[in-house]
C-alpha cells in the first residue's frame, strides 16, 4: 500500500490504523516513511496527560473523561503506558467491564504500549503514536501513565495539559513532590475523595502549590476533588482542562509548547539515529575490560569513547571528501 493510501485509510479503517501503530512500535523499516508524510496531517488533536501513583484512579478518570468527550461528539484516542492498567489487563474485572463501555465505541481507540523492549525511547514512540492518532482525525489524545519513572514523565510532558491524580492517603502529596510530579502538573485531581482525610490532603497540597513563585500572568495549578468511580467532579475536571487550554491559547503558550516539543523530538531522533549508526559501525561487544594499552596499562572507557567518536568523525569527513552521503 502506498504511504498516501495508508494515511488516507487510517481515518476510517481501524485495522489499518492498528497495523500502523504496531509497525511504529516494532520499528518496522517502512514506518518512518509513513511518519514523515503523516506529520503534515497533524496539529488538530488536543493532548492530555494523566499521571499519578498506581491505583489512584487514572483509568477510571480516563474512562469518565472519554465518555464526556464522546457526548460532545469528539473522537478520543487513549495511549496507556501502565503495566497495572485495565487496558493492559492488569486490573479487576469490574474495571474491565466499565472500560468495555468505551471499548466498544467506534469513536474511541485504546492502545496500550509495552514498557519494555523498546530500542528507541518509550516517550518518543508514544509521541509517534499520538501523531498517528492526530493524523487519523482524533480530537482528543489521552496519555495514561503511572507517575513513577523518568520515561513516564517524559511521555506526559508531551501533552498540552497534564493532570496529576492523587488520593487522600497520607503522604501522597509528599511522594508526588519527590517524584517530580508537582513540576509537571497543570492541575491536580484528588480522587477517592469519598475517603476520609480528603480535606486535609487538599489543604496540604494547596499549601505546597501556593508557596510557589507566581504573578498575575502565571498559571496557578489548582486541585479538584473527584470520586471518579461515581462520576463525581468529572465535569469540573473537563472545565479545568478547557480553562488551561484557553490560558495557553490566549498567551500564545500553546504554540510555544508545541514548538518546544517539536525541537525536543528532533533532538531525540538525531540522538537515536546517531547512536544506532555508531553502534552499527563500532560494535562494542568485542571490547573487553582486559584490553591493555602500550605498556600493559588498562584502557579507560573515556579513551575508548573518544576513539570511537574520532574515528566516526574521520569516517564522516572521508565520506564528504568522496562526495558520498554516508
Ligand atoms: N472509593 C473509590 N474508589 C475508586 C475511585 N476511583 C476509582 N476507584 C477504584 O480504585 C481502583 C483503582 O482504579 P484505577 O482507575 O484502575 O487506578 P489506576 O491504577 O490509577 O489507573 C479501582 O478498583 C477503582 O474502581 C473513587 O473515586 N473512590
Ligand atoms: Mg490505570
Amino acid at each position: 500500500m502506498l504511504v498516501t493510501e495508508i494515511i488516507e485509510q487510517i481515518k476510517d479503517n481501524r485495522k489499518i490504523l492498528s497495523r500502523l501503530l504496531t509497525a511504529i512500535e516494532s520499528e518496522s523499516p517502512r514506518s518512518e516513511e509513513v511518519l514523515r508524510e503523516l506529520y503534515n496531517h497533524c496539529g488538530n488533536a488536543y493532548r492530555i496527560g494523566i499521571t499519578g501513583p498506581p491505583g489512584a484512579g487514572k483509568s477510571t478518570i480516563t474512562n469518565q473523561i472519554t465518555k464526556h468527550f464522546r457526548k460532545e461528539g469528539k473522537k478520543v484516542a487513549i495511549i496507556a503506558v501502565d503495566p497495572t492498567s485495565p487496558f493492559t489487563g492488569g486490573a479487576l474485572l469490574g474495571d474491565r467491564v466499565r472500560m468495555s463501555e468505551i471499548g466498544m465505541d467506534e469513536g474511541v481507540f485504546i492502545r496500550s504500549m509495552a514498557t519494555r523492549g523498546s530500542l528507541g525511547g518509550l516517550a518518543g514512540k508514544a509521541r509517534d503514536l499520538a501523531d498517528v492518532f492526530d493524523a487519523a482525525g482524533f480530537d482528543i489524545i489521552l496519555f495514561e501513565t503511572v507517575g513513577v519513572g523518568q520515561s513516564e514523565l517524559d511521555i506526559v510532558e508531551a501533552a498540552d495539559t497534564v493532570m496529576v491524580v492523587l488520593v487522600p492517603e497520607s503522604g501522597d502529596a509528599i511522594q508526588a513532590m519527590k517524584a517530580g510530579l508537582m513540576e509537571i502538573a497543570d492541575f491536580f485531581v484528588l480522587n477517592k475523595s469519598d475517603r476520609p482525610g480528603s480535606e486535609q490532603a487538599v489543604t496540604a497540597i494547596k499549601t505546597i502549590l501556593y508557596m510557589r513563585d507566581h504573578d498575575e500572568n502565571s498559571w496557578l495549578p489548582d486541585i479538584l476533588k473527584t470520586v471518579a468511580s461515581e462520576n463525581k467532579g468529572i465535569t469540573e475536571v473537563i472545565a479545568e482542562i478547557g480553562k488551561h487550554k484557553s490560558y495557553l491559547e490566549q498567551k500564545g503558550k500553546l504554540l510555544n509548547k508545541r514548538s518546544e516539543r517539536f525541537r525536543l523530538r528532533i533532538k531525540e531522533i538525531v540522538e537515536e539515529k546517531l547512536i544506532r549508526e555508531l553502534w552499527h559501525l563500532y560494535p562494542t561487544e568485542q571490547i573487553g575490560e582486559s584490553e591493555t594499552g602500550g605498556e600493559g596499562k588498562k584502557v579507560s572507557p573515556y579513551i575508548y569513547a573518544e576513539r570511537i567518536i574520532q574515528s566516526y568523525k574521520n569516517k564522516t569527513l572521508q565520506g564528504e571528501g568522496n562526495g558520498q552521503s554516508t
Side-chain angles (χ1 to χ4, degrees), residues 55 57-60 82 84-87 144 146:
K58 299 178 298 297
S59 296
T60 315
D82 179 354
T84 68
S85 167
F87 301 130
E144 186 201 324
V146 194

Side-chain angles (χ1 to χ4, degrees), residues 282-318:
Y282 310 100
T284 47
E285 290 85 46
Q286 294 97 326
I287 304 173
E289 222 239 323
S290 60
E291 296 277 332
T292 51
E295 297 124 17
K297 270 164 72 186
K298 289 214 281 182
V299 182
S300 147
Y302 281 96
I303 296 176
Y304 259 115
E306 200 47 46
R307 275 187 204 162
I308 290 174
I309 291 168
Q310 271 311 327
S311 57
Y312 181 73
K313 279 187 190 160
N314 292 342
K315 194 180 145 50
T316 318
L317 287 176
Q318 267 171 24

